[in-house]
């Protein structure tokens, strides 16, 4: 089947196309209603179908006689452990944890926050919630307490599942104090916290709220999967919007299972028994879709890696894991390869490993910059495939669908739209643009199965954020173009969202943190180019008149601001520079000219917009950049 035929059918006959794909998963009650679209444009897929995502990911394979095959490999160079779980073993643990949660009163529709490092129990936690029809919300372990508190207040979980610590390189990071602080900060108080005690750090548990995971699991009776409606929420995953408050992306059971199952064979070229490795974290969408749900639903073996591209123990880590577990498809972010390239420019460590099992390399999270693409092509013998997607869609929008047809790649392009996605490029007035013209990348509704169905607790925000700008079209927030052969190029965000090492961050959120400092009158945070991380945030800060910068002076203040972001958001924000300036460039209506600032700091040519309030500010900022700050 060629890509073109498959793609065109998906758009001309979406109901027929997705009815066929829905037959490839097992339902407790197969859907007869394939798609209905609400008056506000929201798609509901498979509305009368009943299924259970955890059952699909686990029990189904046991029933098919594959219970003794490997479901999950936990590879943890930071603790020097490798553990292997068959489908039967994983099902057993998931059923027991689900039973334990049920014993705490968690049932269909209740929320459970998961704040865990990359251990098998993180996947078990997610699947256990799914088994009960409870809604999990995984919060990335790198988030500081205030961010966790925000999510607890929004999701209002009955229970939090957590661990005593995470491990970054050789640093043991205690999670429990962060969890305690978050619950202290939050208005909503979860009834229970179940904490996995890891030998590297033992947490203090305070009864009756805190429970020990091992005892909790050991004393529980396994429970069966609960049939849920296809449109019931499976999870909430928070992502940065353009304001300080993160958006809770809601994913359903049915559309999600069908879309992920479709993607595993058609995009990633894997099926039952193949080993699939996505290097990410359960706290991000890649972790949800392609460490936990996608591979397991498709009957693959998934690799859950608790380590880094480098220094755990060296830049040969990728090649070691691929050899050791016979990985067929590997997926990582470009920043991970830039880290490897920096330490081992010739990839000479690769020579020590047999990576012949590897058939495809996929990258996403940020644009695969052409230098990294060429480096990967040079060192590897397999297709290197950039593919583009976002938390909201849950699975790729553009890719080279190797299971359908391996299309020739072009550097800098994630190739073509995936079946199901009707991609258009619009100018700011909503007119469709032709080849090579850069504009807003949008998706004509309805979105395919698997994409978000709402923002948790705020459907209005969902409509305003995604559907209001161009009615009938989903706003991706990215800018880009298609070339004359239809290859798509995604060039970066058009809003105030930046991408740091493949992680999305809202400049507004960072600004709120800086603005909270008593000496700061106003500030702007912009993402500037960074050789390793793609982008990093830099703050431009205007001080209050007569502000007391303290004994440390300007440098001390910068340190305080850096520290502030670290403890409010987390070290992964990579916020390291705050520049003190006299004023910020703004439009006459008061909007900060971020594009101009970004181009200026990146050393690119920029146009001074006619709407600028006072153009002389720009030369002051130039001076600040040259000297490190502007004297008052
Ligand atoms: P997140 O929702 O955190 O996964 O971030 C999604 C955003 O990351 C997208 O909207 C893009 O701006 C960017 N992104 C992800 N993958 C790619 C890619 N392959 N090419 C270009 N941008 C990407």
């Amino acid at each position: 089947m060629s890509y073109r035929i498959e793609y065109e059918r998906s758009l001309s006959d979406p109901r027929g196309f997705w009815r066929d794909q829905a037959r490839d998963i097992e339902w407790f009650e197969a859907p007869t209603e394939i798609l209905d679209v609400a008056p506000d444009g929201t798609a509901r897929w498979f509305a009368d179908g009943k299924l259970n995502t955890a059952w699909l990911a686990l029990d189904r394979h046991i029933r098919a006689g594959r219970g003794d095959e490997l479901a999950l490999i936990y590879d943890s160079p930071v603790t020097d452990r490798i553990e292997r779980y068959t489908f039967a073993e994983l099902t057993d643990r998931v059923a027991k944890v689900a039973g334990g949660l049920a014993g705490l009163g968690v049932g269909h529709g209740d929320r459970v926050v998961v704040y865990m490092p990359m251990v098998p129990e993180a996947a078990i936690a997610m699947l256990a919630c799914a088994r009960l029809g409870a809604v999990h919300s995984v919060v990335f372990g790198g988030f500081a307490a205030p961010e966790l508190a925000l999510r607890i207040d929004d999701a209002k979980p009955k229970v939090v599942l957590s661990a005593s610590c995470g491990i970054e390189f050789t640093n043991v990071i205690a999670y429990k104090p962060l969890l305690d602080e978050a619950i202290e900060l939050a208005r909503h108080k979860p009834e229970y916290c179940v904490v996995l005690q890891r030998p590297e750090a033992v947490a203090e548990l305070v009864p009756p709220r805190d429970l020990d995971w091992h005892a909790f699991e050991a004393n529980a009776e396994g429970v069966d999967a609960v049939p849920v409606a296809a449109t019931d929420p499976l999870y909430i995953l928070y992502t940065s919007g353009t304001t300080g408050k993160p958006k809770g992306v809601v994913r359903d059971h049915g559309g999600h299972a069908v879309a992920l199952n479709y993607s595993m064979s058609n995009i990633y070229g894997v099926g039952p028994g193949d080993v699939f490795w996505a290097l990410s974290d359960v706290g991000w969408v890649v972790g949800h879709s392609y460490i936990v749900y996608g591979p397991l639903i498709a009957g693959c073996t998934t690799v859950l890696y608790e380590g880094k591209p480098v220094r755990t123990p060296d830049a040969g880590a990728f090649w070691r894991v691929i050899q050791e577990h016979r990985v067929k498809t590997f997926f990582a972010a470009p920043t991970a390869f830039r880290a490897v390239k920096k330490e081992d420019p010739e990839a000479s460590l690769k020579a020590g490993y047999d990576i012949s099992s590897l058939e495809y390399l996929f990258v996403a999270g940020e644009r695969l910059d052409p230098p990294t693409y060429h480096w990967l092509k040079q060192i590897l013998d397999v297709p290197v495939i950039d593919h583009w997607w976002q938390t909201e869609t849950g699975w790729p929008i553009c890719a080279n669908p190797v299971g359908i047809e391996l299309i020739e790649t072009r550097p800098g392009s994630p190739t073509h739209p995936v079946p199901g996605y009707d991609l258009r490029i619009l100018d700011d007035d909503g007119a469709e643009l032709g080849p090579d013209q850069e504009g807003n990348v949008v998706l004509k509704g309805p979105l395919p199965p698997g994409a978000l169905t709402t923002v948790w607790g705020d459907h209005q925000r969902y409509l305003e954020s995604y559907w209001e700008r161009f009615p009938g079209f989903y706003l991706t927030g990215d800018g880009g173009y298609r070339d004359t052969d239809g290859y798509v190029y995604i060039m970066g965000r058009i809003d105030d969202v930046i991408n740091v090492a493949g992680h999305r961050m809202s400049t507004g959120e960072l600004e709120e943190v800086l603005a909270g400092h008593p000496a700061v009158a106003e500030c702007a945070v912009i993402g500037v180019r960074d050789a390793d991380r793609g982008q990093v945030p830099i703050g431009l800060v205007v001080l209050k008149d007569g502000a007391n910068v303290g004994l440390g002076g300007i440098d001390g203040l910068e340190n305080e601001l850096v520290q502030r972001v670290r403890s409010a958001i987390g070290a992964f924000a990579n916020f390291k520079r705050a520049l003190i300036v006299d004023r910020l460039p703004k439009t006459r209506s008061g909007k900060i000219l971020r594009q101009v600032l970004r181009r200026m700091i990146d050393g690119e040519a920029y146009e001074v917009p006619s709407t600028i309030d006072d153009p002389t500010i720009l030369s002051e900022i130039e001076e600040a950049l040259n000297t490190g700050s502007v004297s008052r």
Side-chain angles (χ1 to χ4, degrees), residues 92-269:
D92 194 45
R93 290 201 63 188
V94 167
K96 284 189 134 192
V97 172
L101 286 171
L104 299 182
V106 174
H108 182 251
D110 290 330
R111 275 82 58 210
V112 173
V113 160
V114 178
Y115 183 63
M116 298 191 72
M118 284 289 283
V119 290
E121 286 77 5
I124 290 170
M126 293 161 73
L127 290 157
C129 293
R131 196 170 187 85
L132 295 174
V135 182
H136 62 69
S137 184
V138 184
V139 179
F140 172 56
F143 274 122
E147 289 289 319
L148 177 56
L150 269 180
R151 287 153 176 80
I152 289 176
D153 272 337
D154 197 70
K156 301 193 173 47
K158 264 197 179 159
V159 174
V160 178
L161 297 173
S162 191
S164 56
C165 67
I167 302 160
E168 290 268 312
F169 299 106
T170 51
N171 296 336
V172 174
I173 297 151
Y175 277 24
K176 184 62 175 19
L178 298 173
L179 175 60
D180 288 341
E181 190 190 335
I183 294 176
E184 189 66 39
L185 288 171
R187 282 183 311 279
H188 173 85
K189 308 292 177 195
E191 283 168 50
Y192 298 102
C193 297
V194 183
V195 181
L196 178 78
Q197 296 282 22
R198 305 186 74 189
E200 292 76 14
V202 175
E204 192 193 330
L205 303 182
V206 184
R209 190 196 71 184
D210 298 340
L211 304 169
D212 173 81
W213 181 301
H214 294 295
F216 164 82
E217 186 179 333
N219 298 331
E221 290 278 333
V223 292
D224 282 341
V226 175
V228 300
T231 49
D232 280 346
L234 166 67
Y235 69 75
I236 308 167
L237 177 58
Y238 289 89
T239 189
S240 297
T242 47
T243 65
K245 188 170 184 270
K247 287 186 282 210
V249 164
V250 176
R251 195 94 57 215
D252 64 7
H253 273 259
H256 174 251
V258 172
L260 290 190
N261 190 58
Y262 175 78
S263 71
M264 292 308 293
S265 55
N266 290 283
I267 298 178
Y268 297 107

Side-chain angles (χ1 to χ4, degrees), residues 73-76 79 81-83 118-120 198 304 306:
I73 299 169
Y74 165 56
D75 186 307
S76 170
T79 60
R81 268 182 226 134
I82 292 180
E83 291 168 11
M118 284 289 283
V119 290
R198 305 186 74 189
L304 192 139
E306 190 183 27

Side-chain angles (χ1 to χ4, degrees), residues 267-552:
I267 298 178
Y268 297 107
V270 287
D274 288 332
V275 181
F276 185 89
W277 178 25
L279 175 86
S280 181
D281 188 284
V282 286
W284 307 119
V285 69
V286 180
H288 284 63
S289 296
Y290 295 115
I291 295 175
V292 181
Y293 290 114
L296 294 177
I297 289 172
C300 299
T301 306
T302 186
V303 179
L304 192 139
Y305 176 71
E306 190 183 27
K308 301 279 182 194
V310 296
R311 291 170 46 213
T312 56
D314 59 26
F318 285 176
W319 323 127
R320 196 268 304 160
V321 174
I322 292 169
Q323 166 182 286
E324 191 148 355
H325 308 306
R326 308 296 300 152
V327 173
K328 177 173 172 184
T329 297
F330 178 36
F331 172 173
T335 186
F337 290 106
R338 289 196 295 267
V340 173
K341 182 178 163 203
K342 199 168 169 187
E343 295 213 352
D344 185 15
E346 308 298 324
S348 46
L349 291 170
K350 191 167 71 67
Y353 300 97
D354 168 10
I355 61 161
S356 58
S357 63
L358 188 70
E359 290 186 25
Y360 305 109
L361 173 66
F362 281 83
V363 293
E366 58 182 300
R367 180 167 184 252
L368 175 58
D369 52 297
T372 308
Y373 170 81
H374 290 300
W375 183 74
L376 287 167
K377 286 300 289 174
Q378 200 186 320
I379 65 161
L380 294 172
D381 240 357
V382 300
V384 173
I385 299 170
D386 184 11
H387 65 324
W388 167 62
W389 51 297
Q390 44 185 210
T391 305
E392 287 86 345
T393 64
W395 64 292
I397 310 167
C398 281
N400 198 331
V402 301
I404 304 173
E405 179 187 345
L406 181 61
I407 301 167
E408 197 185 319
T409 51
R410 290 193 180 164
S413 167
T415 321
H416 294 317
V418 165
Y421 288 102
D422 189 352
L423 184 145
R424 311 285 175 97
I425 313 284
L426 304 183
D427 72 11
D428 286 343
D429 298 322
E432 203 161 335
L433 292 170
D436 293 331
Q437 291 181 291
E438 194 166 330
N440 302 285
V441 186
V442 298
L443 304 169
K444 188 165 182 301
L447 292 179
L452 85 169
T453 52
T454 188
V455 167
W456 180 255
D458 198 350
H459 195 65
Q460 196 51 36
R461 189 170 179 206
Y462 160 79
L463 297 175
E464 282 165 12
S465 312
Y466 302 109
W467 297 96
E468 240 169 40
R469 178 76 180 80
F470 300 109
F473 296 90
Y474 166 88
L475 187 73
T476 66
D478 284 319
Y481 63 96
R482 298 184 86 161
D483 68 14
T484 45
D485 299 318
Y487 281 76
V488 176
Y489 293 78
I490 301 296
M491 304 310 291
R493 299 289 300 192
I494 50 174
D495 53 16
D496 298 334
V497 170
I498 60 172
N499 189 315
V500 181
H503 302 316
R504 194 204 292 199
M505 228 162 275
S506 138
T507 52
E509 197 174 356
L510 292 162
E511 284 164 8
E512 271 180 30
V513 175
L514 298 185
H517 189 285
V520 173
E522 70 170 338
C523 61
V525 172
I526 41 180
V528 300
R529 238 196 326 258
D530 180 82
D532 301 327
R533 294 178 181 83
Q535 278 187 307
V536 291
I538 285 195
L540 286 108
V541 176
V542 179
L543 299 183
K544 287 179 184 157
D545 280 344
N548 181 1
V549 294
L551 288 176

